[in-house]
Amino acid sequence: MNQLTTFEIFEQYGLERSDEPITFGLPLPVGSCREPAELSLYDGAGRRLPAVFTPLARWEDGSLRWLLCDTRVDLKAGEKGSLVLARGEAGENPAAAGLELVETPEDYRITAGLAQFSVSKQDFLPLSRITLGGRDLVKAAESGLVLTDAAGRLWRAAGGSWQIACQNPLRLVLKWTGRFLAKDEAHPLECEGLLTFCAGRRAVEVELRVRNPQAARHPGNRWDLGDPGSLRFRELTLNFPLAGEGAEGIFLQAEPESEVARFTDAVTLYQDSSGGENWRSPNHVNAQGEILPCLPGYEVRSGENVLTRGRRANPLIGAALDGAGFGLSMPAFWENFPKALGGNPGTLEWGIFPGQSRGPYELQGGEQKTHTLFVMLGRDADELAALRDRLHRPLVPKIDPEWYRRCAAGPALAHAGGDARRDAPLNRALGDYLALIDSALEGADSFFARRERIDEYGWRHFGDLYADHEAVFHQGDEPFVSHYNNQYDVIKGALLQFWRTGRSDWFRLARELADHVADIDIYHTDEDRYQYNRGLFWHTDHHLPAATATHRAISRIHAEYKDCVGGGPAPDHNYATGLALMYWTTGEERYREAALELVENIRNLVLGPDTLAERGFQLVRKSLAGVRARIGRKGLVYADVFGVLDGPGRASGNVLNTLLDGFLLTEDGEFLDLAGMLIRRCVAPTQDIASLDLENVELRWMYTVFLKALARYLEVKEMWGLKDGMFAYARAAFVHYACWMLENEAPYLDRPEILEFPNETWAAQELRKSDILALAGKQVRGELRDRLMERSAFFFATGVAQMQSFETRALTRPLALLMTNGADALELQGLWREGELPEGGDPEEIFSAARRTPTGSSVRANRKILRSRLTSISPGREWRWIRNRLGF
């Protein structure tokens, strides 16, 4: 056995796991393996496990970069085990026996042991028949997914198309895409469904997504509930008609520790609010500003009778059918309120958007929501309850952090290397740094606990972080609602901390936030301005309540507090890296799709206007801005902040980073060409940096965002063996700026008088400077490397020490900055102190190479832009631009 790596798997929930299906992604070093057939998986005792490996990404040489593993494991409650990845082992894979699929013109028929499932191709039922041991449990006669619009009209999910999204002996995924129909009329709401079957599991995971593809009208660029582009409806339910004469009885368990209650009549559990202390938070307003929840938690009803009430349900509802059990359970049930599960002797029902809520529901233009339900089979209620517990608490393997580093899986991981163990100031800073990061998971101020303060729950809010740093000036007892919307890419940061520690709560934080961002924070439309389509909405406007803007940042109510109000998705706030990492870590296509939506938004921004009308509008606006500037007036808000192509800033930095994500996800060289064009527009190896006024901190601090993205560009080009002219140009520009920082940068808080708010966030930003200087030190050698590394250590230690001086050091924004900055500096400093950092280039040679090497990628990119935009002009797009600009 040629062992590649070993990783741990820990059963931390006290549940017995027998033949438990797990799916996870893992990276591989360049050149280590070319095809999945070369790999095998073993347990700690050396037994070969059933395993299927699926490529997710490849290196430039064709070897595997990320791999998805499907396997099954046995673990006792509380047991720690290990998995061994090896290559070169021949022989039959134990995964050969698993799921069986038979496809007919009418349906798909899946067999998993004694359980059989049928999926009709005609409609989304979603399961037209279920049998266990030959006994029918479900046999649907018509569509089970029903939408009730605001006027009370019924629409049934029908038509559409089915496809096999994934098929191997251990896992099968079927995907449905369709619409809601009333007779021959189609509702504008779009719908998608995924059905996941796993060998060894008597359960089907049903993932359902509804989307409003229309654009919001956002008059005055204010984005509030009640927008004409929203779709309103009263109810969305999924029904499972029971087979034969119906159920022998309905059983319901409201919470995992509660008793199982049995019924012969209809029963419904309805969750109206989170049941938390702040369940009546202004977070839950409708377009009229009315707080919607009326009940503090959930209630169980049978007919008109309220049988019981409680705070937070995690229910199981099921039916006993001829000696077998059939049940439904939804993970994160109360967190995604309002929700309902109900049943009667003929049907079980999932209230996705239940009719009991004070409504109607409003799905904003470009907004979507994904829900998950487990359909479970078993002998009785106890077996189904045990299955529910395992499904809701999946096993997550822990891979050695050193393996991620060897595989160049992402930004480097924090560790105390070399002299850092003996260097007291740096060692102390490292300890404080990690303690601050870990506080995000611990105690009364953890990110999870902070959700309670504004009740960051409900189908639209769950998964986001509370932006508590925006509440520092708030006075009064009412919760101050402010949404974070993944600023500085906490998804990425949480995954990096999961890789560093193996703590499953980091993975939980990343997944819940990624789910929220993918649904709510991305503008899922192609019908608005090209700058907005598929972009990411900003966090809530600074120090203002979210009001009726929810997660769309800018509300009309903000005009009460400030003179200039307006905005929408923008490149300054576009973070695709965490979503890409979630895809590679889980193999779930929805994360890749979400990341590529953000990539497409950025690509369109770099390509420029897609209508003649917009091009003309921008020319006029730039001309007016120039006139105003000449007469001493500002033309635009933030006119002095660098835009996408104006210079090194937050917008250009996030654009560059997202273009790199696009390349890594698609391996399409166009993204590197566009990145090269962007770099040449923003920086140069011989640039007069002093003329850029970078010491004007309030307007120019964002240049460090661009420089860190520029360092990533160099790493990507180097990993793919693309040390071409554009690499030389970018490398020289990066070193040029780093040398300027070496001589001119000082800690922000050393001059508090130049800052509007000299707070803990400025201290946290120092860690990005530390990363940049260390990454520049990696590129050079000799005395310059030593100076860069020493200054990097200074900024790291200073930033952490300054943070420690603030009582507000653990607010959301500074912690987010620490989660995504500082790790590169720590690793590179450790390697440098131990003498293991590969030798960089001679500084003079770096600048000489940039002068003598051609940079054709920029020319190619400009030609592609011109061709692409000329072919995209159409009357329909011109009319859509006029309609959106004029607001009708």
Side-chain angles (χ1 to χ4, degrees):
M1 179 172 63
N2 182 5
Q3 180 176 320
L4 288 175
T5 187
T6 300
F7 36 97
E8 296 180 1
I9 187 162
F10 175 34
E11 203 305 300
Q12 60 182 313
Y13 302 107
L15 303 172
E16 292 288 328
R17 313 282 183 153
S18 177
D19 214 17
E20 182 94 348
I22 59 171
T23 299
F24 60 96
L26 67 157
L28 292 174
V30 62
S32 63
C33 178
R34 299 192 67 84
E35 296 301 332
E38 301 173 26
L39 298 171
S40 302
L41 192 68
Y42 298 84
D43 65 14
R47 292 184 293 265
R48 190 174 181 185
L49 297 174
V52 177
F53 301 100
T54 305
L56 295 179
R58 291 183 181 272
W59 292 101
E60 185 273 339
D61 67 354
S63 62
L64 296 169
R65 183 164 67 93
W66 277 93
L67 196 68
L68 189 68
C69 176
D70 288 295
T71 188
R72 298 179 352 203
V73 299
D74 295 319
L75 280 177
K76 297 178 181 177
E79 180 184 3
K80 285 187 177 181
S82 61
L83 299 175
V84 179
L85 181 70
R87 65 187 299 267
E89 181 84 3
E92 184 179 355
N93 189 332
L99 293 169
E100 296 179 10
L101 171 66
V102 175
E103 182 178 356
T104 75
E106 294 77 27
D107 61 9
Y108 299 99
R109 299 173 187 176
I110 302 98
T111 301
L114 295 176
Q116 292 184 315
F117 307 89
S118 294
V119 178
S120 171
K121 292 182 178 179
Q122 308 306 313
D123 302 302
F124 187 75
L125 296 175
L127 296 157
S128 51
R129 187 179 183 188
I130 302 175
T131 65
L132 181 62
R135 297 187 296 273
D136 277 335
L137 303 182
V138 169
K139 195 170 184 180
E142 60 182 10
S143 174
L145 185 61
V146 181
L147 175 73
T148 305
D149 66 20
R153 188 181 184 188
L154 298 183
W155 304 74
R156 298 186 181 277
S161 61
W162 284 92
Q163 67 181 84
I164 300 173
C166 169
Q167 183 182 10
N168 65 53
L170 295 181
R171 187 165 57 95
L172 169 70
V173 182
L174 302 178
K175 182 177 182 179
W176 172 78
T177 304
R179 304 296 289 267
F180 293 96
L181 303 177
K183 296 184 179 178
D184 294 330
E185 184 180 354
H187 194 278
L189 194 69
E190 295 179 346
C191 187
E192 295 177 351
L194 287 180
L195 305 181
T196 300
F197 305 82
C198 292
R201 176 185 288 167
R202 291 182 181 178
V204 182
E205 182 177 349
V206 180
E207 181 182 293
L208 187 67
R209 179 179 303 114
V210 289
R211 178 189 303 115
N212 177 2
Q214 300 178 159
R217 297 295 177 85
H218 50 87
N221 255 0
R222 301 165 191 189
W223 303 71
D224 288 278
L225 293 170
D227 187 276
S230 295
L231 291 175
R232 295 160 186 83
F233 55 94
R234 191 71 193 84
E235 187 174 10
L236 180 65
T237 59
L238 183 59
N239 303 303
F240 293 86
L242 303 175
E245 298 300 321
E248 299 170 5
I250 302 297
F251 52 84
L252 173 68
Q253 185 185 42
E255 302 178 43
E257 303 303 322
S258 64
E259 293 185 3
V260 176
R262 302 181 185 278
F263 306 88
T264 56
D265 297 323
V267 63
T268 299
L269 185 151
Y270 167 65
Q271 182 90 37
D272 187 60
S273 71
S274 75
E277 181 180 350
N278 293 312
W279 68 276
R280 290 278 295 168
S281 166
N283 205 11
H284 308 307
V285 296
N286 62 10
Q288 291 72 44
E290 303 165 330
I291 296 175
L292 291 174
C294 302
L295 177 70
Y298 70 88
E299 66 180 16
V300 178
R301 282 182 172 268
S302 182
E304 297 299 318
N305 300 319
V306 177
L307 304 181
T308 186
R309 288 192 172 100
R311 289 288 181 170
R312 292 177 165 175
N314 183 13
L316 161 68
I317 193 164
L321 293 144
D322 190 23
F326 169 73
L328 307 177
S329 183
M330 176 186 166
F333 180 88
W334 66 264
E335 294 93 333
N336 281 286
F337 76 85
K339 288 291 169 285
L341 284 175
N344 60 56
T347 306
L348 294 186
E349 180 180 279
W350 179 27
I352 307 165
F353 290 96
Q356 296 95 322
S357 173
R358 183 183 175 193
Y361 299 96
E362 178 179 347
L363 202 61
Q364 298 174 99
E367 191 173 44
Q368 68 181 31
K369 179 60 182 180
T370 304
H371 290 102
T372 299
L373 179 79
F374 287 110
V375 177
M376 304 175 294
L377 313 181
R379 291 189 301 269
D380 52 30
D382 290 340
E383 186 171 272
L384 290 174
L387 178 56
R388 180 268 318 272
D389 293 343
R390 297 195 299 273
L391 291 170
H392 288 204
R393 296 173 176 176
L395 297 171
V396 182
K398 174 188 175 183
I399 300 173
D400 184 357
E402 179 63 21
W403 181 254
Y404 285 109
R405 190 182 72 82
R406 283 184 56 196
C407 299
L413 301 167
H415 72 288
D419 289 350
R421 298 189 183 96
R422 300 184 293 274
D423 185 297
L426 192 57
N427 190 51
R428 184 165 55 251
L430 174 61
D432 291 340
Y433 167 75
L434 296 179
L436 277 169
I437 291 175
D438 289 339
S439 72
L441 295 188
E442 297 166 353
D445 287 326
S446 73
F447 281 158
F448 300 114
R450 291 181 214 199
R451 291 174 175 170
E452 303 290 340
R453 297 175 189 172
I454 61 168
D455 206 59
E456 194 75 308
Y457 299 111
W459 66 267
R460 178 176 278 127
H461 308 301
F462 178 59
D464 202 359
L465 306 181
Y466 175 34
D468 56 354
H469 53 281
E470 304 292 0
V472 292
F473 301 118
H474 175 62
Q475 297 179 349
D477 296 329
E478 185 177 82
F480 180 90
V481 176
S482 185
H483 304 299
Y484 196 70
N485 284 30
N486 200 36
Q487 185 181 188
Y488 300 121
D489 206 346
V490 175
I491 300 171
K492 178 183 78 173
L495 281 175
L496 295 181
Q497 303 313 315
F498 168 62
W499 295 352
R500 173 178 69 87
T501 65
R503 294 180 61 177
S504 60
D505 278 349
W506 281 121
F507 182 74
R508 173 190 163 199
L509 182 77
R511 180 185 277 277
E512 289 173 353
L513 180 56
D515 290 345
H516 167 83
V517 170
D519 277 345
I520 306 300
D521 294 344
I522 296 176
Y523 192 30
H524 305 280
T525 187
D526 292 313
E527 299 181 2
D528 209 323
R529 307 176 197 174
Y530 81 96
Q531 299 100 322
Y532 294 166
N533 291 335
R534 302 184 182 274
L536 186 70
F537 285 101
W538 282 73
H539 51 83
T540 304
D541 204 0
H542 288 307
H543 309 305
L544 297 177
T548 51
T550 69
H551 298 265
R552 299 197 163 191
I554 306 296
S555 169
R556 61 179 180 272
I557 296 172
H558 293 167
E560 300 175 11
Y561 306 92
K562 55 191 291 189
D563 294 332
C564 187
V565 175
D572 306 62
H573 188 76
N574 189 298
Y575 304 100
T577 305
L579 291 166
L581 293 177
M582 277 299 297
Y583 165 65
W584 290 318
T585 303
T586 66
E588 295 185 28
E589 281 290 331
R590 59 196 173 111
Y591 298 127
R592 182 177 188 271
E593 292 167 1
L596 288 178
E597 282 194 272
L598 298 180
V599 169
E600 182 65 14
N601 170 260
I602 292 303
R603 176 180 177 275
N604 285 331
L605 277 169
V606 175
L607 292 177
D610 61 352
T611 62
L612 295 175
E614 176 72 15
R615 287 185 180 273
F617 175 80
Q618 290 190 8
L619 285 173
V620 171
R621 187 171 64 174
K622 288 180 179 179
S623 298
L624 290 175
V627 171
R628 288 170 179 166
R630 284 193 294 273
I631 62 175
R633 296 173 56 198
K634 287 186 177 180
L636 296 169
V637 177
Y638 303 127
D640 294 324
V641 174
F642 289 135
V644 172
L645 298 173
D646 301 329
R650 179 169 56 187
S652 53
N654 284 336
V655 166
L656 176 56
N657 203 55
T658 304
L659 290 172
L660 296 175
D661 293 324
F663 171 72
L664 294 174
L665 284 165
T666 66
E667 299 179 25
D668 185 343
E670 179 193 16
F671 292 111
L672 289 183
D673 287 346
L674 293 175
M677 182 204 72
L678 174 74
I679 292 167
R680 289 180 61 81
R681 288 285 298 268
C682 293
V683 295
T686 57
Q687 199 165 10
D688 179 12
I689 298 177
S691 68
L692 301 179
D693 194 25
L694 297 187
E695 293 177 284
N696 185 344
V697 172
E698 289 286 355
L699 293 178
R700 294 287 184 262
W701 70 265
M702 301 88 122
Y703 85 92
T704 60
V705 176
F706 182 87
L707 290 187
K708 193 164 181 187
L710 186 58
R712 187 183 181 212
Y713 172 84
L714 296 174
E715 290 178 349
V716 170
K717 294 274 283 193
E718 192 167 11
M719 284 190 295
W720 259 258
L722 301 174
K723 288 190 174 183
D724 52 13
M726 196 58 235
F727 175 86
Y729 179 97
R731 187 187 194 193
F734 182 56
V735 172
H736 180 48
Y737 270 81
C739 289
W740 181 91
M741 291 178 66
L742 196 61
E743 302 298 332
N744 295 277
E745 269 293 356
Y748 299 120
L749 291 172
D750 282 3
R751 296 184 293 162
E753 69 278 1
I754 68 173
L755 303 172
E756 183 179 7
F757 301 109
N759 56 27
E760 71 293 321
T761 297
W762 290 109
Q765 300 277 20
E766 304 294 350
L767 274 68
R768 189 186 297 108
K769 295 181 191 174
S770 178
D771 282 344
I772 292 166
L773 293 169
L775 289 163
K778 176 185 175 183
Q779 294 293 336
V780 299
R781 62 172 179 254
E783 180 188 0
L784 180 58
R785 167 177 281 185
D786 294 343
R787 292 178 62 204
L788 288 166
M789 288 299 181
E790 288 166 1
R791 195 62 174 167
S792 169
F794 165 78
F795 277 110
F796 184 91
T798 300
V800 174
Q802 288 180 341
M803 281 195 70
Q804 289 293 93
S805 69
F806 287 92
E807 292 184 2
T808 52
R809 59 185 173 273
L811 293 175
T812 297
R813 184 171 56 192
L815 284 187
L817 284 163
L818 263 63
M819 289 163 60
T820 54
N821 293 285
D824 292 286
L826 283 171
E827 180 182 18
L828 293 172
Q829 287 165 19
L831 293 173
W832 169 64
R833 291 167 187 272
E834 291 179 339
E836 296 181 4
L837 189 63
E839 185 169 345
D842 176 80
E844 290 300 324
E845 175 58 25
I846 287 174
F847 289 105
S848 175
R851 289 192 295 268
R852 67 172 181 264
T853 312
T855 54
S857 62
S858 180
V859 175
R860 291 197 302 272
N862 279 305
R863 289 173 180 169
K864 286 184 178 180
I865 288 173
L866 182 61
R867 287 197 301 269
S868 173
R869 280 333 197 195
L870 285 176
T871 58
S872 71
I873 295 171
S874 71
R877 188 174 284 110
E878 298 290 332
W879 164 246
R880 192 158 58 239
W881 182 92
I882 294 170
R883 184 193 67 191
N884 288 334
R885 276 291 182 187
L886 298 182
F888 62 89

